[in-house]
Every structure is written in structure tokens, then in C-alpha cells.
Amino acid sequence: MKIQLILISIIFIAVINGRSLEKRDASDVRVKLCIPRKFLADCVKLYGDPAENNKVTCVPARDQMECLEFVKKRQADIMTADPEDMYVAYHLENEDFDIIQEIRTVEESHSAFRYDGILLVKKGSNINSLKDLKGKKSCHTGFGRNVGYKIPLTKLRKHELLKFSDDPELSSTEKELDALSAFFEKACIVGKWSPDNLVNEVFKKRYSNLCALCEDPAKCDYPDKYSGYDGAVRCLVEGRGDVAFTKTYHVKKHFNIPIAQGDTSLTASSDAANYEYLCEDGSRKAITDPNPCSWAQRPWQGYMSNPDTLSQKPAIQQVLSEYFEQAKTRLSKDEAAHLQIKDTLTTFNTPEVIYPGTHLFKAQYKDVIERDGTEQGVIRFCVSSEIELSKCKWLKRAAYSRDIRPQLECVQKDRDACMKAVASGKAEVVVLPPSLNKAAEENGLLQVLTEKYDDKDLFVALVENDLNQDQIKEAQLKLDLSSPRAVSAALYLNSKRGVTGCPNTLTSRDDAQIRIVNAKSLEVYKNTNKRLLCADLTKMTLDEVQTCNVDYSLPNGIYVNKAESRQARDNVRHAFTLIGEKFGSQGAINHVFDLVGDFQPGQKNVIFSSDAVKIVPEAPANIDKNLYNSIHCL
């Protein structure tokens, strides 16, 4: 009896400490919503100024990864989250997060998952098990996509039907393409198989049967009649393929099958009886069956909170739902989309606590993200400070969740030790500033990628229009000596003026007749007598920046061991090019991880330059490395 009373007391204390689901009035809710800083204005427009006592306060973070950290540390209460963010949360501390609300489509608000990945076959075909798929012609949505690529790979691998090469020199992407090419006779898998155009072309020639069913096999890219969810169905129905990997929604759309439960306004077309879903156990189901057999599902996105919000959960759900609907009229479509809100979407309350892991396991989506298993190697990324190590670890999480392979592994050493580690095979890659390009070569390193600045991001020299050549050669300079790029421009201009010497004694004077500035600041000089001073010491008007500048900046380089194989170098190129494409300043999902913005307040140029806009294969063509090293006394 005493033991029972003690247990009851413990439960009671836990409840009053805020872990219960008791209902509270929504008017009492005060909740902090974390938002990537690039979308802060949209958040404030919907929820109100953070300085006011609003129900929802917008808390800006660097990106989604920092929002995860804020929610975990109680610096924020909730955040919007994709399944990939939930995957990162699961690995941070699964039970420190709760999927408080799902964001579903209005049309499929009854569905437990965003979509079901299925395999569509013709009724009466000789495909009676997963083994029977070998040697068949397959139709896919596209390269790298969930239901048409990732899910089939995951499941066929799970059943040991795909044979993956054990060649350590092959990238994970090529291993997948090689396995699919050997398994299927022909296929249509459009898309960009590698961010490197040359590698993409090589892959498509090497595994050409994976493009054979496409409308344009030679291009094997979007747009294509047989690409996408509808295209995969069309590929099967028109007799090009034997199987189609797509999702149930588009099968229903194609065959006029009602989407919503209880919808009697539609009647399935007569063709629907000629097709079936192939289940993972080899059985089949009619495509009109309201419970189709799915290979795996993609979970809904949603709002994710920490356990401290449990006592207010119903009230918070009510507030989020109210604002969600208001956003559809108060914000533009783009502004609303930044907050994961669209006219076609609605909220769905989760009645119980749902941990990220539970959400992912139920959909079998964790397996989809981790489909490379434990066999794939890693890229050991050497960094040189505590803050760089922290950034590397968050980059690693974001990159892996967003399908960038090989996986990164972060190691910390000082910069010289990092060069030696790459040279000796104890690390695979290091990012180095241009001041170390000569040292990198002397250590046996090879630059395989480089950062790229915006085409308009150039340093120029400004002079008065009436300054003559003799005055130009003798004039003092004014520049920001803390900017390596401004210093490089000044040293380059000096070399053209015949002002050389090592060590260089570059100084800046406020009364100087030549100013080294970034072209972005030229607007203030428009109605003045200022002119651009070119490298050949001639003068041009301020609108001639592209042809008259003194920019001589070498960006940071990404280096590997020169002795590494071509394939090992390609692995690094592939991973870091994708990192730039996804997370760079022009990246498609740089709100997930901001590669070049301030990593922490005031902390610029952490690993990567804050001025960089891309990661590209070639260094600037107009920069002579020997001259660069010479003017910098390297």
C-alpha cells in the first residue's frame, strides 16, 4: 500500500510540473516560435512584433538546425519541421521533442501519411514476388526522389535483391546506379545524376539502360513525358514499362478514383480493373482498395515542440490552427510558404505525444534516409577551431538528412596539422584560404573545388577624374586593411603602379587620393567627379565595373590529397558541390542550414567565406596564382 501511495505521489508531482495534457484557454497561450532569420519578416507580419505581448512570438535563428537547438534548450517552444528535421531531432534527443501538430493537405487530411510509395503492375502480369522484378522494365518518378528512387532502393536492398559493388572507389551514387542497372532490363530515371556535368554525362552513358524508356533517352532529364508521379503511371499504361514506382494519389487521379473517403462524385474508370498494387510480400491489391499496400511512406511535415509545452498542448494547437488559416489571406503566397502555409494545406492535431522517432519508424522513413546502410565510407573533414568544429557537426547532420553522401566526419586540428592530416591520409578534405595555396601544394594537396563570389561583388579603385598619370603612380591609398579582398586589390593595383616589395608595407590614409572599395558601395559616388581606375591605370565611368576593376581575389579552396584516386576526389567534389547547391547563399534550402551566413552573432567566415555564393570546380580564370603569391610575398 505504501509503495502504491508513493507511486501515485510521483505521478501527481510529474503532472503538476507541467507534463499533463490538461486543457487551457487559448487566450492564455504565450508561445515562442523559432523561425530561420531569412523568414523573420514573414513571421512578424503574421504573428506580430516580438516586443508586443502576442500569443506567438517569433524567435529568429540562423536556420532550421539552430531552431532544433533552440527548441531543445527551451530558447524556443515550437518550430516547423520537415521529416528530415525530425530525423535530426531523433538523433539529438528523441524524447525532447513532440510532433504537436501535423500539416496535411486539405484533400488528404484523413491520410496518416503525406503519401504512400507503391509499386503499380498490370493485372495478370507474371510478377508475383519482388524477385520477379529482376529483368523487368521499370518506370520511376526521377533520380533522387522519394517514391520513385529512394524507397525502391531501400526495399530492394532490404530484401537483398540488389547487388551493390564493394569497390571502395565508387561513390554511393554510382553504386546505386550500378545496382539498378544490373537489376532492371530498362528504366526511365530522369534527372541530374551528379551535380558535376561531366560526371553526370559519364554516368548516363555508362548506365544508359536506366534512360532507355524515357521520351528522350539521350537527354534523360526534365521535362520528360514519362517523368514525375503522373509520368511514371503513363510509362506503364502506355506499355513502355512493366512496373511503375509512384504514389497512390496520382494513381487515383489517373484512374478517376475518389481521393477523399466517402466521396461518391467520382467513378473509377474501366481501365482501373487492369492494374494492381504489388505488395512487399508478393501479394496484390486492387487499386480501388481504400487500404493500399505501401512500400514506405513519407510522413507529414508539422510543428515540433519540446515536452515543456505539454500542459498547453490543446491550447497551442488551437492558436496555431487559427493563425494558419489567417495566413492564407493576410500573407502573400510566397510569405505564407516560408512558414509552411499554403491554401491547399491544413493543420491536424496529434492527440498524444509523438516523438520524432515514432513518427519516422511508423512510416518506415528512417530506413529511406539511411538507405546507404553502414557500408558507405565517410569524408573526414578537418577543421581548425572549436567554432569550426561546431559548424561542421551541424553541417554533417543537415547534409546527411538531406541525402548528401558520403557522410561527413568532423576532425579538429590546427591548420598546419590539417594539411598534414590530408597529406597523410588521416583526413580527406580541408578548406584553406588563398594565403595557404602555396603551402597546400608543397604539402602534396590538390585543390578540387573553390568558392565563387557574385559576379557583381568586385573591388574597384576610385579616383578624381582630373588626377593625372604621375599623380596616380604616386598617390596614397585608402582601404579597409581588415578585408583580405581589399588588401589583395590594393596590392594588385600597386604592382601595376610599380609599387612592389616584400614584406609589403601597405598602409591606409583617410586623405588618400585612391580609394579601394567594393563596387556595391558605388551608388553614393554617382553624382560626383569620381571615376574608376582600371588595372592599366586608365579611367572609366562608374558603370564600367565589369571591365574596369582591380579585384584580384582568390577565394577559399577545397583541398584533397593529390595522390588520392580520381574516384575519391570525385566523391569529395560530389558531396561539397551538393552542399553548395543546397546550403549556399543561393542554395535551394539554405534555410535548413546557412553555409555562409554568420554562424553565431558576429562570427563571419567560419570555414567558408561569407562573401561566397557558390562552390564551383574552377578557380577564377583571370587570376594568375604566381602573381597572386608574388604580390602577397608568399
Side-chain angles (χ1 to χ4, degrees):
M1 185 65 180
K2 287 183 179 179
I3 294 174
Q4 287 177 323
L5 287 172
I6 291 170
L7 288 173
I8 291 170
S9 299
I10 292 171
I11 292 169
F12 177 74
I13 291 168
V15 168
I16 64 172
N17 276 327
R19 308 279 300 197
S20 69
L21 295 179
E22 68 203 42
K23 188 165 183 177
R24 292 194 180 182
D25 193 316
S27 63
D28 296 332
V29 167
R30 294 295 181 271
V31 65
K32 293 178 287 187
L33 171 67
C34 190
I35 190 78
R37 60 190 170 200
K38 68 181 291 186
F39 301 143
L40 178 61
D42 306 317
C43 186
V44 170
K45 186 174 180 180
L46 177 62
Y47 298 109
D49 193 306
E52 300 171 2
N53 187 28
N54 297 306
K55 293 180 182 179
V56 179
T57 298
C58 302
V59 177
R62 181 190 65 245
D63 46 40
Q64 286 288 92
M65 295 297 104
E66 189 169 50
C67 274
L68 287 169
E69 191 172 21
F70 278 13
V71 171
K72 183 176 181 295
K73 292 181 176 179
R74 282 42 174 185
Q75 293 172 252
D77 302 310
I78 54 175
M79 62 179 287
T80 58
D82 287 327
E84 291 76 13
D85 300 319
M86 298 172 191
Y87 176 82
V88 177
Y90 162 70
H91 281 282
L92 284 176
E93 188 64 60
N94 186 45
E95 295 183 9
D96 237 0
F97 296 91
D98 170 37
I99 314 303
I100 192 172
Q101 203 171 49
E102 292 178 350
I103 299 174
R104 299 183 175 185
T105 60
V106 174
E107 194 173 19
E108 297 178 282
S109 59
H110 64 281
S111 299
F113 304 103
R114 180 178 171 187
Y115 52 72
D116 295 278
I118 53 86
L119 200 165
L120 187 66
V121 296
K122 295 176 183 177
K123 189 174 183 178
S125 66
N126 62 344
I127 302 174
N128 300 304
S129 70
L130 299 190
K131 289 182 181 179
D132 293 337
L133 293 174
K134 183 170 175 58
K136 297 298 188 289
K137 293 177 285 186
S138 58
C139 307
H140 303 254
T141 55
F143 174 79
R145 296 177 65 166
N146 281 304
V147 299
Y149 187 82
K150 296 178 186 177
I151 291 175
L153 272 167
T154 302
K155 293 301 179 181
L156 292 174
R157 180 174 192 150
K158 175 186 174 183
H159 289 277
E160 299 181 345
L161 294 174
L162 293 181
K163 293 183 178 179
F164 289 86
S165 171
D166 58 4
D167 184 347
E169 294 300 311
L170 292 187
S171 67
S172 57
T173 298
E174 185 164 11
K175 286 181 180 180
E176 291 176 350
L177 294 171
D178 179 68
L180 289 171
S181 178
F183 189 74
F184 293 114
E185 178 192 353
K186 294 179 180 179
C188 178
I189 307 178
V190 305
K192 197 173 181 182
W193 294 0
S194 170
D196 185 297
N197 291 331
L198 180 60
V199 174
N200 181 55
E201 189 177 323
V202 169
F203 281 172
K204 287 182 177 176
K205 287 180 180 177
R206 189 173 295 165
Y207 307 108
S208 59
N209 66 318
L210 298 181
C211 298
L213 300 185
C214 299
E215 179 185 23
D216 186 349
K219 184 177 74 169
C220 196
D221 207 346
Y222 301 101
D224 192 280
K225 183 180 179 181
Y226 303 113
S227 67
Y229 303 116
D230 295 315
V233 177
R234 192 179 300 117
C235 172
L236 174 65
V237 170
E238 293 186 7
R240 295 176 81 86
D242 303 311
V243 299
F245 296 95
T246 185
K247 64 181 184 179
T248 53
Y249 178 86
H250 287 271
V251 172
K252 291 178 178 180
K253 283 287 188 183
H254 186 92
F255 293 103
N256 208 43
I257 300 168
I259 303 295
Q261 290 178 343
D263 183 359
T264 58
S265 64
L266 297 176
T267 302
S269 66
S270 57
D271 285 352
N274 298 326
Y275 296 89
E276 294 176 316
Y277 294 129
L278 178 68
C279 305
E280 195 170 343
D281 63 3
S283 62
R284 295 197 185 194
K285 279 194 174 185
I287 62 175
T288 53
D289 192 314
N291 298 303
C293 52
S294 173
W295 285 41
Q297 300 83 21
R298 178 171 173 80
W300 295 107
Q301 63 208 84
Y303 291 99
M304 193 159 61
S305 65
N306 58 54
D308 289 4
T309 63
L310 286 179
S311 63
Q312 301 184 78
K313 185 168 184 174
I316 292 174
Q317 289 171 332
Q318 182 182 335
V319 168
L320 291 175
S321 296
E322 289 172 355
Y323 275 111
F324 195 95
E325 294 306 315
Q326 290 175 26
K328 295 177 181 180
T329 55
R330 289 174 57 185
L331 302 182
S332 70
K333 288 188 182 298
D334 286 343
E335 290 169 340
H338 294 158
L339 306 179
Q340 303 280 33
I341 300 170
K342 296 181 181 179
D343 290 342
T344 56
L345 300 176
T346 188
T347 55
F348 178 85
N349 294 338
T350 56
E352 71 281 349
V353 175
I354 299 179
Y355 299 133
T358 306
H359 200 59
L360 297 169
F361 280 113
K362 184 179 178 182
Q364 304 176 72
Y365 198 67
K366 176 177 174 290
D367 293 341
V368 174
I369 292 177
E370 296 177 349
R371 70 182 188 278
D372 55 316
T374 58
E375 299 171 23
Q376 178 59 43
V378 298
I379 294 175
R380 290 169 296 179
F381 186 10
C382 197
V383 295
S384 303
S385 65
E386 287 294 331
I387 191 170
E388 287 189 355
L389 182 64
S390 177
K391 181 172 183 175
C392 181
K393 287 179 177 179
W394 281 109
L395 172 59
K396 169 187 174 178
R397 295 178 180 115
Y400 189 81
S401 71
R402 262 65 184 189
D403 205 34
I404 295 175
R405 302 292 188 274
Q407 183 177 193
L408 299 180
E409 181 179 300
C410 306
V411 295
Q412 182 187 353
K413 302 176 183 291
D414 65 49
R415 199 159 262 169
D416 286 342
C418 271
M419 285 192 282
K420 288 180 171 60
V422 174
S424 63
K426 295 178 181 176
E428 276 71 49
V429 64
V430 62
V431 176
L432 297 173
S435 60
L436 291 176
N437 74 75
K438 187 175 181 181
E441 291 177 4
E442 291 171 350
N443 275 278
L445 305 191
L446 175 70
Q447 183 176 318
V448 292
L449 291 167
T450 183
E451 296 175 343
K452 184 181 185 303
Y453 304 129
D454 187 87
D455 290 339
K456 297 178 180 179
D457 184 7
L458 297 166
F459 276 81
V460 297
L462 282 179
V463 296
E464 294 292 337
N465 190 34
D466 56 3
L467 208 65
N468 62 41
Q469 287 292 306
D470 289 337
Q471 291 172 318
I472 286 172
K473 289 178 180 178
E474 297 295 328
Q476 299 291 322
L477 303 180
K478 176 178 170 57
L479 69 149
D480 178 3
L481 291 171
S482 69
S483 166
R485 295 185 62 202
V487 168
S488 190
L491 292 174
Y492 177 59
L493 177 62
N494 276 353
S495 73
K496 295 298 182 179
R497 297 194 302 157
V499 181
T500 59
C502 288
N504 69 67
T505 54
L506 200 60
T507 59
S508 175
R509 290 182 51 164
D510 289 339
D511 60 349
Q513 293 174 299
I514 300 177
R515 296 186 179 190
I516 305 295
V517 300
N518 193 288
K520 295 175 184 176
S521 66
L522 288 181
E523 188 68 27
V524 297
Y525 299 103
K526 257 192 172 180
N527 298 316
T528 69
N529 197 38
K530 296 291 185 185
R531 293 292 183 270
L532 297 176
L533 178 63
C534 309
D536 63 0
L537 306 187
T538 60
K539 286 174 282 191
M540 287 189 177
T541 57
L542 300 186
D543 56 357
E544 300 287 344
V545 170
Q546 292 299 319
T547 53
C548 183
N549 63 76
V550 291
D551 198 285
Y552 218 69
S553 306
L554 272 179
N556 291 338
I558 298 175
Y559 289 83
V560 300
N561 189 329
K562 189 182 291 186
E564 283 282 14
S565 68
R566 170 72 181 256
Q567 188 58 59
R569 296 199 300 267
D570 284 346
N571 284 349
V572 172
R573 283 195 188 97
H574 177 83
F576 279 83
T577 301
L578 280 179
I579 284 169
E581 286 185 357
K582 290 177 185 283
F583 306 137
S585 67
Q586 298 176 350
I589 53 171
N590 60 16
H591 66 284
V592 170
F593 184 79
D594 186 351
L595 188 69
V596 300
D598 290 9
F599 181 65
Q600 293 173 1
Q603 295 287 342
K604 297 182 180 295
N605 306 310
V606 179
I607 303 179
F608 301 94
S609 169
S610 298
D611 293 334
V613 295
K614 289 181 180 179
I615 294 175
V616 296
E618 301 87 13
N622 63 316
I623 306 294
D624 180 334
K625 270 193 177 182
N626 290 328
L627 176 57
Y628 181 92
N629 290 339
S630 174
I631 63 176
H632 283 271
C633 303
L634 299 177

